[in-house]
Amino acid sequence: MRGAAPANVSARLRSNVTLETQAEGEIAVCFEGYSVGLGRFSAGAAHRAQNLRIGLPLAAFASNRRNIDKEIDLLVRRLARRGLLEYRLGGSGIGEDQVVIETQMPDYWPRTPQLGNADAVVLSRFAYMRRRGNEMILESPRAGALFKICNPKIAAVLAMLSTPQHIKQLRRQDDFPGLELLALLLDCQILFKVDAAGGSGLRPAEGDHNLVLWDFHDLLFHTRSTEGRHANPLGGVYPHAGAISPLPAVRPRWPGKKINLHKFSAADPAAISPVAKLLRQSHSTRSFDNQQPITLAELSQFLGGAARVVSISNAELDLDDGGQAVRPYPSAGAGYELELYLAVDTCEGLARGFYHYDAGAHALAPIRVPMHELEAQLTGAGYSMGSTAAPQILITIAARFGRISWKYSSIAYSLILKDVGVLIQTFYLMATDMRLGGCAIGITNIDLFAKMTGIEFHVEGPVGQFAIGRGAKSGASD
């Protein structure tokens, strides 16, 4: 997170965060009922740290010339890594904020890259401004932070950046917000540099060719409906409990005469098809028997039956010169954009680690990752399932987004999610048929996956997860 400290930017604690000085100089940060130790600091540093309630200029301790500056720098960066700070850009007094920067990723740190008068900048096509309560927010799914615009004049100047503007021209504006804000926005990829004389090719000028394939609404939905790149509440938090009554499990019946289908159904249970039986028997398993874990042979059978490439065609069908690789489940446009990555905790015959499933070769390719990242992925999956233990194997379903967006417009991400649903149902049927336990997981951390694979989140990223293993006999299920 190292970088030059912006001169007019101050760090301050988020409104729900407090610092407590404990015995022997220990400082703890308290938030949402939790208390986390940050280390031991001198009395002077502890006293100065209280200024984080109103804002402590980053430049005041960036030089690290004094021991107390080094301590404050260490404390502030530990808070920043946990996403417990926000940053203000404005006057020195309380209530004079021009812009408030709210972190969306734990490792965000304000940086101000160089901008010169000859540079031309323009708003990213993924950037947008919206109302949040009584506030105006500027954000982007590519950004590590969002910007609360406190001065409406700044919003007006930013609106001019829908077309490329030279810095020299912007500085002539009466309400010019300052180079520092523009540099912060550039660092967050809300702005980007462009050759102003380059014509109308703004889309290919922003990022790589993989980014060209994304529509605005698709990338926004991908980042805001997953974990890792935003700070919004996520998962089953019941945000409307007490305000709106829940909908009934079964829809109220339509009026009119019904056509009773029971008399057309098979009365003899033996006449029910095997597929129908599997559908009725399938359920989610959240507890696994680690004394008798799933075996490598069973995992091979599971993956081969549910996801292996069964045929390949190189015919140039419907302009798709990438060819087709058919698998056991249907896919939009026969794109088969989904890839499987396995975080293995317990599997007889297979070492603990992270693997990619090569569906064409029906093989597992090990990927070296730091153990703390593997632990984080497995622990997060267990937490999402409501279990105290990690699953034996966690399958992350990732999408090669360009495989679908190269062909489809407006509906690309929607098609990918439909394919995920089809594949998860296939997993459930295979697990049930093999007497294994499985559970779909609704939350995936796209930033953690990017770190583990080294692949940019917009190139190939997780869109679903499925836990598989040998279910405990008394394990929770639904």
Side-chain angles (χ1 to χ4, degrees):
M1 295 194 302
R2 292 289 170 184
N8 298 314
V9 175
S10 297
R12 68 183 177 196
L13 297 171
R14 301 182 79 149
S15 59
N16 64 334
V17 177
T18 59
L19 292 180
E20 290 185 358
T21 303
Q22 301 174 339
E24 298 181 355
E26 291 283 343
I27 294 181
V29 58
C30 304
F31 58 98
E32 298 176 354
Y34 295 94
S35 178
V36 178
L38 298 175
R40 184 177 298 178
F41 296 85
S42 67
H47 177 74
R48 190 177 178 191
Q50 295 306 314
N51 290 329
L52 288 169
R53 173 51 54 204
I54 59 174
L56 190 60
L58 299 184
F61 55 85
S63 65
N64 283 335
R65 292 177 181 174
R66 300 178 300 168
N67 288 336
I68 193 171
D69 290 337
K70 294 178 181 179
E71 288 187 276
I72 292 297
D73 182 71
L74 177 62
L75 175 65
V76 169
R77 291 182 183 272
R78 285 178 178 174
L79 288 166
R81 289 190 188 98
R82 293 172 170 84
L84 299 176
L85 294 177
E86 63 184 18
Y87 306 89
R88 61 185 294 269
L89 179 64
S92 57
I94 299 174
E96 296 182 9
D97 297 344
Q98 297 293 306
V99 174
V100 176
I101 306 170
E102 299 180 9
T103 63
Q104 300 298 290
M105 299 172 63
D107 56 357
Y108 172 80
W109 185 259
R111 295 183 181 88
T112 50
Q114 191 72 29
L115 275 173
N117 283 339
D119 289 324
V121 294
V122 66
L123 277 170
S124 164
R125 66 187 178 89
F126 297 106
Y128 62 102
M129 230 181 291
R130 66 179 177 91
R131 181 181 67 84
R132 186 185 67 183
N134 295 323
E135 303 165 343
M136 185 61 70
I137 301 299
L138 174 65
E139 58 184 325
S140 165
R142 298 188 68 202
L146 63 80
F147 292 70
K148 183 172 71 175
I149 309 300
C150 306
N151 185 342
K153 293 180 180 180
I154 293 178
V157 174
L158 292 174
M160 295 174 55
L161 293 170
S162 59
T163 58
Q165 302 286 334
H166 279 100
I167 297 298
K168 184 177 181 180
Q169 295 172 327
L170 288 173
R171 297 181 82 161
R172 294 172 181 167
Q173 299 291 324
D174 292 338
D175 298 320
F176 177 60
L179 276 181
E180 200 156 42
L181 174 59
L182 298 183
L184 289 165
L185 294 173
L186 183 68
D187 178 60
C188 277
Q189 299 174 313
I190 290 176
L191 296 180
F192 66 98
K193 292 183 181 181
V194 66
D195 180 3
S200 59
L202 293 180
R203 185 163 181 145
E206 180 181 3
D208 54 36
H209 68 276
N210 293 289
L211 199 64
V212 170
L213 297 171
W214 279 95
D215 287 329
F216 163 78
H217 60 279
D218 279 350
L219 190 63
L220 176 61
F221 185 73
H222 176 54
T223 57
R224 293 302 184 263
S225 60
T226 53
E227 184 182 13
R229 298 191 67 85
H230 69 88
N232 302 322
L234 188 68
V237 296
Y238 301 97
H240 305 293
I244 300 175
S245 299
L247 295 178
V250 179
R251 189 195 189 282
R253 295 173 179 172
W254 284 91
K257 185 177 180 180
K258 310 293 189 297
I259 300 172
N260 190 346
L261 299 178
H262 286 287
K263 61 183 179 180
F264 301 103
S265 303
D268 183 6
I272 299 175
S273 72
V275 173
K277 289 181 180 178
L278 285 176
L279 287 170
R280 295 182 183 185
Q281 293 170 1
S282 65
H283 59 269
S284 294
T285 299
R286 293 176 170 81
S287 296
F288 299 92
D289 184 359
N290 287 338
Q291 299 301 315
Q292 299 181 35
I294 185 174
T295 67
L296 181 56
E298 289 172 318
L299 177 61
S300 173
Q301 181 183 344
F302 175 84
L303 294 173
R308 183 178 182 177
V309 173
V310 295
S311 66
I312 297 176
S313 171
N314 292 319
E316 293 188 11
L317 182 65
D318 194 21
L319 300 180
D320 185 2
D321 59 3
Q324 295 180 334
V326 179
R327 308 186 191 197
Y329 57 92
S331 175
Y336 291 101
E337 75 287 359
L338 302 180
E339 297 291 327
L340 306 182
Y341 292 82
L342 281 62
V344 176
D345 183 56
T346 307
C347 177
E348 185 179 326
L350 184 62
R352 193 173 191 268
F354 191 59
Y355 301 84
H356 171 251
Y357 174 58
D358 185 336
H362 188 51
L364 293 175
I367 301 173
R368 295 186 63 179
V369 298
M371 278 298 104
H372 72 271
E373 292 180 354
L374 179 68
E375 291 284 356
Q377 193 175 58
L378 289 167
T379 302
Y383 179 80
S384 297
M385 291 191 299
S387 173
T388 57
Q392 292 176 359
I393 296 176
L394 174 67
I395 301 175
T396 295
I397 305 169
R400 293 184 296 145
F401 300 110
R403 178 70 180 160
I404 296 295
S405 58
W406 182 85
K407 176 179 179 180
Y408 295 100
S409 178
S410 297
I411 61 172
Y413 193 69
S414 172
L415 292 178
I416 290 172
L417 296 186
K418 292 178 176 68
D419 287 347
V420 173
V422 170
L423 180 56
I424 285 178
Q425 176 70 307
T426 304
F427 283 168
Y428 269 116
L429 293 178
M430 278 298 303
T432 302
D433 187 50
M434 294 178 62
R435 301 182 185 278
L436 294 172
C439 181
I441 299 173
I443 297 176
T444 58
N445 190 315
I446 61 177
D447 191 55
L448 176 60
F449 181 86
K451 292 176 180 177
M452 295 176 73
T453 60
I455 303 174
E456 291 283 351
F457 82 96
H458 65 273
V459 177
E460 181 179 336
V463 286
Q465 287 185 324
F466 191 84
I468 186 74
R470 195 175 317 283
K473 293 183 178 179
S474 59
S477 64
D478 58 33

